[in-house]
Amino acid sequence: MKKQILQTLAGALAFLASGVALADELNMRVGVTDISRQVYDLHMTIFYICVAIGVVVFGVLFWSVFRHRKSLGAVPATFHESTKMELAWTIVPTLILIVMAVPATKVLVAMYDTGGEDMNIEVRGYQWKWQYKYLDEDYNNSFSFFSNLATPKAQIVNRSAKTENYLLEVDEHLRIPINRKVRFLVTSEDVIHAWWVPDFGIKRDAVPGMLNELWAIVETPGIYRGQCTELCGKDHGFMPIVVEAMPEAEFDAWYATKVSSEVVRQESMTKTFTHDELMVQGEGIYGTYCSSCHMANGEGVPPVFPAIAGSAVAMGPRDDHLSLVINGVSGSAMQAFGKQLDPVQLASVVHYQRHAFGNDAGDISQPQDVINLSNGQ
Amino acid sequence: MSEVIHADHHDDHAHGPAKGLLRWLYTTNHKDIGTLYLWFSFTMFLIGGVMALVIRTELFQPGLQFIEPEFFNQMTTNHGLIMVFGAIMPAFVGLANWLIPMQVGAPDMALPRMNNLSFWILPFAFSMMISTLFMEGGGPNFGWTFYAPLSTTYAPDSVTYFIFAVHLMGASSIMGSINIIATILNMRAPGMTLMKMPMFVWTWLITAYLLIAVMPVLAGAVTMMLFDIHFNTSFFNAAGGGDPVMFQHIFWFFGHPEVYIMILPAFGIVSHIIPTFARKQLFGYTSMVYAVASIAFLSFIVWAHHMFTVGMPLAGQLFFMYSTMLIAVPTGVKVFNWISTMWRGSMTFETPMLFAIAFVVLFTIGGLSGLMLAITPADYQYHDTYFVVAHFHYVLVPGALFSIIAAVYFWIPKWTGKMYDESLGKLHFWLSFIGVNVTFFPQHFSGLAGMPRRIPDYALQFADFNMISSIGAFIFGFSQVFFLYVLIKTIRSGAPAAGRSWEGAKGLEWTLPSPAPYHSFTYPPEVKNEEVHG
Ligand code: HEM
Ligand SMILES: [Cu+2]
């Protein structure tokens, strides 16, 4: 009877253990880097050791519970110490710990093997989005973009059905090549965040004022998803991380176009644009960033979202208008766009607002004006 | 037993408690103050529990259903703070008040007036903290670990009240600890040598030293926060040359000993209950004492295992990994000793014993997941996921909390002179046991599968486990309301209890009649060997 119970118990534990090892949704992901596989193996090793300890310890405990009960007529023994036993269960666990510490140290040392990287990407946490910046010495410049949650609000508040990658999709993926050592330099603009891609086996806090190093050599192309893992305020649950690992050639092609458009963009900072050019660019930006609140026709939704058409700001001094867009209006839904848009974009969207919807400020905004304003001139 | 009753009769001035409600305000009696602490703790436990259920309700399904993310963060933060500082710690202090004088044969605590003050600070501290939830901008929303700069530059205005509340709680704990140390070191009955002290007294002695060592560190941390917020210092503000990571070092230098503050007295309780119901002396008393002392020492040198992902040099990571792993050794010694106490005993399974056995099993599960978390490279994957949530709930709920519940069932006949209803007690146990496992076991899986902690909404692959967890939480919540019913029923109409309420119970408290007289051991008792555990 007791034997059966014990056997069932051991069986159940073993079943649980193997179930855990097999099922994907129940266990740590094996991942797609050498490091992540090492971490997974380490995890399974310590897990099995813990299960074994559990089976032995709980086995003895339950044996005692079932056998040494008063209702079975058990008479209490009188022993209450044994130096031998006590030494044994101090030494044996210490040995088991050493067995665990050796592979753990190896993996940790491997993880700290930074240097020799093929490329560097700065990862910067913001409340509540990530910014990725490719640091490229060859071009003596770098380009960056923000990666925002792309799940529509309607899904979050249950007004439309949730799609497959609910809360794990962004407007622009971080792209990296496979088979190259990519170094991530993680930091933060405001509070502490943490950057985690489970499939790469790496996680690091993004701390303001500190630059943390991480690296990965991804072996399989694919899209890998993670989330911010350090409480960072209201929308901590809504700043996913999506990394797309691409075959090298594909990545290089993408990178080349990105860089050349970056060169063009950099050059355009010092350019002087005509009214028509600004209006065309501005209209596009207005459509992406402004029209969800201020409406495509510039009428807004007063009083929450003021109209642009006929607005005092759009008809008032140009620099006031520029600063408002750069710095936002605190305590309102109007964000500070200075961090998200570059001077060309800012100049054109402001110029557009001042000359669309029947507005006619009659002046012109150039990227240089934005730069001057931002530099406090 | 009879001698002691006689001794009490000699005391001509023996008087009962004062009449009226003011008794509770003015009392300096260790039993009254113990009772106050315990009811206060139970109240906080229910308030913190309601917050937990708000959290689990929101997490029942993916999507935002009931509350906004901002409020969700206030719930997780206040749940943690209230359970740690309002429920678990005061419950242990309450037990210390009730039991330590009786167990060492002292008439009362060494510093009775300070005892009164250290309790009465608490209701004010917690009223202040909870009131912030109703202030403009809301209450604390930065997690119970309140990492800067989220808790300074980016905190709601009410954070100043939070800081003041933490100062008050710290003052209360420090006074309580001084009192406990003074009582234990000075007021033991003749013949009660240190190595004859009951385990609960030993564990509390060491806990009290831990408290005195780390509560001032916490006070320092919140004071620096206060200065950063109001006086333009930059302790934790990177823009001003400060260091947000330093906050974490300071916090966890307090925080890791703090988690042992919440478990050492539990070790003591379990070391009383298991020998009683196994009808066998505690195995390895001496090594139990040394194990507690080594755990306490080690708890000061492992703090950065909470910060493996913060970015430390390799040598630092290795040091904290090894030291943390080392804690498993003395912890294991305790578990093995409890099991050896049960081995070849003559066991019965009254409610306190059921809770104590569940403690040993489930606490060990929490210890094993702790060991996994100690492995730095693996912790990179576990850190700040539900795996950690599962770990610390296993050590704190079926660990610390179960030990407190076990203690209440074990000593309530001594406190009230009434016996609880055994079948209701067992029902309470099984409901709690099922509830706690259904709630927290699945969280190991959602954590491994990658669910971060402290999020109000989650990706679809975590949905099943969260639903199970929420169901378990409601079972557990319900069973603690049922506990309240069992307690009230016992106090009102429990069967009369004998002085030695349990067949195998040893210790000076059991030589007193039940309920214990309002003033006990006004003359020091004789410490007889058969009442000594070690
Ligand atoms: C063998 C013993 C133990 C070991 C090796 C251990 C190890 C750890 C480690 C490494 C962490 C950090 C995990 C992370 O954040 O990534 C942790 C978290 C934690 N542990 Fe333990 N632990 C042990 C026992 C305990 C006990 C006895 C308690 C309390 C009674 C406890 C309470 C906690 C708490 C509250 C946290 C989480 C704090 C937070 O981040 O909110 N642990 N433990
Ligand atoms: Cu710790």
Side-chain angles (χ1 to χ4, degrees):
Chain A
M1 160 73 186
K2 277 107 226 164
K3 244 200 184 124
Q4 271 171 357
I5 296 178
L6 271 182
Q7 276 167 355
T8 335
L9 211 85
L13 270 172
F15 171 77
L16 210 74
S18 56
V20 169
L22 293 176
D24 232 19
E25 295 216 341
L26 296 176
N27 202 355
M28 185 187 283
R29 274 174 267 186
V30 182
V32 290
T33 65
D34 179 45
I35 289 289
S36 76
R37 257 195 313 278
Q38 291 189 37
V39 170
Y40 175 84
D41 290 339
L42 185 62
H43 158 72
M44 289 319 289
T45 312
I46 49 180
F47 173 70
Y48 283 126
I49 293 177
C50 286
V51 170
I53 297 174
V55 169
V56 172
V57 172
F58 300 147
V60 176
L61 187 148
F62 283 113
W63 178 268
S64 182
V65 164
F66 288 114
R67 285 295 283 275
H68 308 141
R69 27 172 84 211
K70 196 181 178 195
S71 54
L72 296 178
V75 180
T78 51
F79 68 88
H80 60 89
E81 56 197 348
S82 153
T83 313
K84 258 192 224 149
M85 291 302 286
E86 288 172 73
L87 270 180
W89 61 52
T90 311
I91 293 169
V92 173
T94 311
L95 295 179
I96 297 179
L97 289 181
I98 294 175
V99 170
M100 292 164 91
V102 170
T105 306
K106 275 194 194 135
V107 179
L108 194 60
V109 170
M111 286 177 139
Y112 268 74
D113 177 21
T114 48
E117 70 277 359
D118 298 306
M119 62 185 291
N120 289 302
I121 297 173
E122 183 193 283
V123 175
R124 188 176 284 266
Y126 287 72
Q127 282 181 322
W128 290 276
K129 54 187 170 252
W130 295 98
Q131 185 192 33
Y132 300 113
K133 188 187 236 171
Y134 291 76
L135 307 173
D136 194 329
E137 283 161 15
D138 288 353
Y139 292 90
N140 196 25
N141 63 29
S142 54
F143 66 92
S144 69
F145 57 87
F146 281 91
S147 189
N148 296 286
L149 176 74
T151 301
K153 189 80 187 164
Q155 291 192 18
I156 296 173
V157 297
N158 311 305
R159 279 208 222 98
S160 65
K162 300 185 176 22
T163 42
E164 191 194 341
N165 289 313
Y166 175 69
L167 295 188
L168 298 177
E169 50 207 338
V170 294
D171 51 4
E172 186 164 0
H173 300 167
L174 170 63
R175 291 164 205 254
I176 58 168
I178 58 169
N179 297 332
R180 287 189 198 153
K181 187 164 186 174
V182 183
R183 189 162 74 129
F184 304 98
L185 297 163
V186 185
T187 186
S188 166
E189 185 70 15
D190 36 50
V191 299
I192 302 178
H193 306 266
W195 197 74
W196 181 32
V197 185
D199 282 304
F200 300 172
I202 55 179
K203 177 188 288 154
R204 234 356 149 257
D205 290 0
V207 185
M210 230 173 108
L211 211 54
N212 272 327
E213 270 181 90
L214 276 179
W215 61 271
I217 304 175
V218 180
E219 293 165 355
T220 332
I223 295 180
Y224 304 103
R225 298 170 197 276
Q227 285 179 270
C228 174
T229 42
E230 181 61 63
L231 177 64
C232 57
K234 175 167 74 71
D235 285 342
H236 163 55
F238 304 96
M239 50 182 292
I241 294 148
V242 182
V243 185
E244 183 173 346
M246 308 163 84
E248 293 101 309
E250 218 174 284
F251 174 82
D252 289 341
W254 170 83
Y255 190 75
T257 48
K258 246 337 214 197
V259 167
S260 53
S261 66
E262 175 62 18
V263 172
V264 173
R265 197 184 71 88
Q266 295 276 351
E267 279 166 0
S268 67
M269 295 297 165
T270 51
K271 227 174 112 179
T272 307
F273 290 91
T274 66
H275 167 78
D276 292 341
E277 287 169 332
L278 289 169
M279 289 302 280
V280 173
Q281 291 169 25
E283 187 171 5
I285 291 158
Y286 185 86
T288 317
Y289 291 92
C290 320
S291 64
S292 57
C293 294
H294 297 293
M295 298 294 130
N297 58 6
E299 297 295 336
V301 189
V304 195
F305 305 129
I308 303 297
S311 108
V313 176
M315 305 295 282
R318 184 200 66 190
D319 284 358
D320 291 354
H321 190 169
L322 279 170
S323 345
L324 187 147
V325 177
I326 293 170
N327 301 320
V329 180
S330 70
S332 83
M334 180 67 193
Q335 308 178 30
F337 285 99
K339 289 235 161 87
Q340 294 185 38
L341 302 179
D342 67 28
V344 178
Q345 292 171 311
L346 287 165
S348 24
V349 76
V350 166
H351 185 79
Y352 175 76
Q353 289 188 339
R354 299 174 74 78
H355 298 90
F357 322 120
N359 292 349
D360 186 14
D363 51 14
I364 194 149
S365 314
Q366 296 293 354
Q368 196 56 46
D369 301 325
V370 176
I371 294 169
N372 292 347
L373 254 182
S374 308
N375 295 342
Q377 287 168 359
Chain B
M1 167 172 153
S2 49
E3 311 83 49
V4 180
I5 294 177
H6 288 295
D8 264 355
H9 282 289
H10 289 302
D11 185 359
D12 293 333
H13 310 290
H15 56 84
K19 299 271 174 298
L21 273 184
L22 281 181
R23 157 191 176 186
W24 297 105
L25 189 58
Y26 295 138
T27 185
T28 54
N29 179 289
H30 73 104
K31 300 187 179 79
D32 281 354
I33 293 175
T35 306
L36 285 171
Y37 265 110
L38 288 171
W39 280 114
F40 173 79
S41 143
F42 198 75
T43 313
M44 285 298 130
F45 175 58
L46 293 183
I47 295 175
V50 167
M51 292 176 176
L53 292 183
V54 171
I55 296 169
R56 287 305 337 162
T57 308
E58 178 55 54
L59 292 175
F60 187 67
Q61 282 184 328
L64 294 179
Q65 281 87 12
F66 301 99
I67 56 175
E68 290 298 311
E70 170 56 34
F71 189 66
F72 182 92
N73 288 346
Q74 294 179 34
M75 286 294 103
T76 51
T77 305
N78 285 276
H79 162 73
L81 290 168
I82 287 177
M83 288 306 195
V84 168
F85 295 102
I88 302 287
M89 291 173 64
F92 281 132
V93 181
L95 292 170
N97 261 290
W98 255 107
L99 297 171
I100 289 177
M102 295 200 294
Q103 291 188 329
V104 301
D108 204 312
M109 297 293 281
L111 308 160
R113 282 168 203 274
M114 194 168 83
N115 205 9
N116 172 293
L117 178 62
S118 57
F119 170 76
W120 277 108
I121 285 178
L122 286 180
F124 294 95
F126 281 89
S127 308
M128 180 151 51
M129 198 178 81
I130 294 173
S131 72
T132 59
L133 289 175
F134 304 97
M135 292 180 186
E136 207 183 312
N141 57 5
F142 27 65
W144 85 277
T145 50
F146 51 100
Y147 283 4
L150 189 61
S151 61
T152 53
T153 321
Y154 295 82
D157 293 342
S158 67
V159 65
T160 308
Y161 291 91
F162 158 81
I163 290 173
F164 195 44
V166 170
H167 269 303
L168 288 178
M169 293 169 204
S172 160
S173 292
I174 291 172
M175 284 194 271
S177 315
I178 291 176
N179 210 344
I180 286 170
I181 294 175
T183 307
I184 297 175
L185 293 186
N186 297 311
M187 300 191 45
R188 277 171 288 133
M192 173 75 71
T193 59
L194 284 179
M195 287 317 271
K196 280 188 182 173
M197 285 197 317
M199 275 312 290
F200 182 71
V201 178
W202 253 119
T203 53
W204 241 119
L205 180 64
I206 293 173
T207 303
Y209 277 109
L210 285 184
L211 273 168
I212 290 188
V214 301
M215 290 314 276
V217 178
L218 178 68
V222 292
T223 306
M224 286 186 256
M225 282 170 61
L226 188 76
F227 273 63
D228 272 9
I229 295 167
H230 293 291
F231 308 120
N232 293 321
T233 55
S234 295
F235 290 107
F236 308 131
N237 177 7
D243 182 0
V245 174
M246 184 175 73
F247 175 87
Q248 299 184 24
H249 282 293
I250 298 172
F251 180 86
W252 286 114
F253 188 81
F254 146 80
H256 189 83
E258 167 67 22
V259 308
Y260 281 94
I261 285 163
M262 294 189 282
I263 205 68
L264 295 185
F267 289 171
I269 291 166
V270 171
S271 305
H272 284 258
I273 294 176
I274 289 181
T276 301
F277 296 97
R279 292 166 184 76
K280 192 163 152 273
Q281 202 173 333
L282 180 68
F283 186 90
Y285 172 89
T286 318
S287 64
M288 287 301 235
V289 172
Y290 286 124
V292 172
S294 9
I295 291 176
F297 168 73
L298 286 174
S299 76
F300 283 108
I301 55 164
V302 299
W303 75 90
H305 66 210
H306 296 272
M307 304 164 54
F308 282 144
T309 65
V310 94
M312 265 184 284
L314 179 61
Q317 303 273 46
L318 288 174
F319 172 79
F320 286 108
M321 171 166 81
Y322 299 148
S323 62
T324 304
M325 293 173 78
L326 215 52
I327 285 209
V329 175
T331 312
V333 167
K334 310 232 41 134
V335 173
F336 300 139
N337 282 0
W338 289 320
I339 295 178
S340 311
T341 307
M342 290 164 45
W343 188 255
R344 291 186 46 217
S346 172
M347 274 189 276
T348 52
F349 302 92
E350 288 85 346
T351 309
M353 183 64 160
L354 290 177
F355 275 104
I357 294 177
F359 170 96
V360 175
V361 175
L362 301 181
F363 171 79
T364 304
I365 293 182
L368 290 172
S369 60
L371 187 55
M372 296 175 74
L373 289 165
I375 308 293
T376 313
D379 181 69
Y380 291 151
Q381 295 285 51
Y382 310 138
H383 177 68
D384 265 335
T385 70
Y386 263 78
F387 193 80
V388 177
V389 178
H391 159 68
F392 67 74
H393 281 92
Y394 261 83
V395 283
L396 287 173
V397 183
L401 180 65
F402 270 24
S403 82
I404 292 166
I405 297 176
V408 170
Y409 279 113
F410 188 61
W411 278 291
I412 205 171
K414 178 57 58 196
W415 302 338
T416 63
K418 311 265 181 65
M419 194 46 122
Y420 64 88
D421 181 325
E422 193 59 66
S423 31
L424 293 187
K426 286 192 168 137
L427 182 61
H428 173 220
F429 168 75
W430 285 108
L431 282 174
S432 306
F433 181 81
I434 294 169
V436 90
N437 285 296
V438 173
T439 309
F440 297 115
F441 207 75
Q443 295 185 355
H444 291 110
F445 300 129
S446 37
L448 290 177
M451 179 166 166
R453 61 194 282 210
R454 294 167 167 165
I455 56 174
D457 191 9
Y458 48 83
L460 301 179
Q461 70 262 35
F462 309 127
D464 294 345
F465 289 129
N466 275 283
M467 192 174 280
I468 298 172
S469 233
S470 292
I471 293 170
F474 276 91
I475 299 176
F476 190 78
F478 164 77
S479 48
Q480 303 324 313
V481 177
F482 180 66
F483 181 37
L484 180 62
Y485 166 76
V486 178
L487 289 178
I488 292 175
K489 187 161 181 286
T490 309
I491 294 167
R492 286 235 180 116
S493 60
R500 192 178 299 272
S501 318
W502 310 104
E503 188 187 12
K506 280 188 190 178
L508 291 177
E509 75 268 32
W510 301 110
T511 63
L512 293 168
S514 294
Y518 194 59
H519 294 290
S520 45
F521 296 137
T522 39
Y523 292 90
E526 189 190 339
V527 179
K528 292 196 183 141
N529 260 341
E530 64 261 27
E531 296 297 352
V532 171
H533 285 263

